[in-house]
Amino acid sequence: MRVHNFGAGPAALPLAALERAQRELVDFENTGMSIMEHSHRGDAYDRVHSEATALLRALLGLGDDHTVMFLTGGASQHFAQIPMNFLHPGQSADYIVTGGWSEKALEEAQRVGTARSAASTLENGRYTRIPSAEEISIDPAAAYVHVTSNNTLYGTQWHREIDAKGRPLISDMSSDFLWKPTDLSPYDFVYAGAQKNLGPSGVLIAIARDSFVAQGRKDIPTVLRYATQSKARSLYNTPPTFAIYMVRNVLAWLTDLGGLAAIEKINREKSRRLYAALDSQGDFYRAPAALDSRSTMNVVWRLPTEALEEELVTKATAEGLIGLRGHRSVGGLRASIYNAVTLESVDALVDFLKQFARAHHA
Ligand SMILES: Cc1ncc(COP(=O)(O)O)c(C=O)c1O
């Protein structure tokens, strides 16, 4: 019995990817041992590592000028590691602040060097939207411009190209990586923890322009230099082999499904159905995100009282709809509908929400 998992991360994984791991767990491809027990320098693991890289490149149509890295530390570590690499002495970096995670990224950069907010949509203590182009003022000499493509806590997402005014563009894509076909050529560095859209926790994917990585600072510890891992194919030291193996399974599932165009269609339909259900119940459910900023990955909403929100979570959990509590810093409710969450799960949630509203809306 599998539940309907709307958790924000670690999040639902595709059943096919889990079942493949189950089949291969004890004896990987007739080698007499699990992939977890193989050396990261051996042939068996190398095939998995290369396949994961190749699948990712093919799904994104990546050009030869971008490198793919499997890293550890989570996005939070890279909030610090990015300025350590790319913020050179005497420079300043620009951050577009659209939620709690971009605030943290900016704070870490300010610990490393000079960084400023090039735009912020914080209003009355909350973030409900993506800034307009006019609200963003890029420093023409910025070392780089950092954005958060999807704001996991507040349920907002960029739906237009980001103009970095010719400065290097860096994006934290942790909560919407691979949700649709994406041209990464405008980006110099993107990164995403795997535990939402592409695997278990413990590994982070970074895709970067080779020439940008090569310009990174050389006066920081070797293991923290992106150039070190890029040159070593992410095998400078022992990588999280089992997490990367699971990413391979998820990428193979996504490829079999028809790739990013196919998953985009499903993702758009899931978010359409869920927002339509919320919008159809008068003012019982309120989604605070501005219409043009609504996320297709994290749907956030409120009820008239916190007591009703608690009741909803309790009743939903009893019906096998789990992970609906909003982030502790924001409150309310949130359904994360990442790639692996099925239309069937969303339909089950829609039915539940309609029933709950009927029972409580006088
Ligand atoms: C957009 C975004 N950035 C960063 C993080 C932090 O990731 P981690 O816990 O892997 O450091 C999260 C986690 O939810 C996130 O959603």
Side-chain angles (χ1 to χ4, degrees), residues 74-76 79 101 148 150 152 172 174-175 195-196:
S76 299
F79 290 166
W101 295 113
T148 311
N150 182 73
T152 327
D172 172 2
S174 288
S175 51
Q195 68 270 22
K196 298 163 195 300

Side-chain angles (χ1 to χ4, degrees), residues 8-9 73-79 100-102 104 148-153 172-176 191-196 201-204 298 327 334 338:
S76 299
Q77 180 177 309
H78 295 271
F79 290 166
W101 295 113
S102 26
K104 285 210 161 69
T148 311
S149 58
N150 182 73
N151 299 283
T152 327
L153 315 184
D172 172 2
M173 296 189 171
S174 288
S175 51
D176 68 351
Y191 60 110
Q195 68 270 22
K196 298 163 195 300
S201 58
V203 64
L204 171 136
N298 307 100
H327 190 267
R334 169 176 58 178
Y338 300 127

Side-chain angles (χ1 to χ4, degrees), residues 212-276:
F212 186 61
V213 167
Q215 287 161 27
R217 291 180 65 153
K218 298 183 174 58
D219 57 347
I220 59 173
T222 313
V223 72
L224 298 181
R225 290 185 59 209
Y226 292 118
T228 304
Q229 287 292 15
S230 173
K231 215 166 115 203
R233 296 174 53 237
S234 312
L235 292 161
Y236 170 73
N237 64 327
T238 319
T241 53
F242 191 63
I244 295 169
Y245 160 83
M246 280 304 301
V247 168
R248 190 281 308 255
N249 287 5
V250 174
L251 293 172
W253 161 80
L254 197 47
T255 305
D256 289 347
L257 195 80
L260 300 183
I263 201 71
E264 177 182 14
K265 248 171 115 176
I266 299 169
N267 283 330
R268 287 199 187 277
E269 184 56 20
K270 287 186 304 192
S271 60
R272 192 194 64 74
R273 288 187 195 180
L274 189 45
Y275 284 115

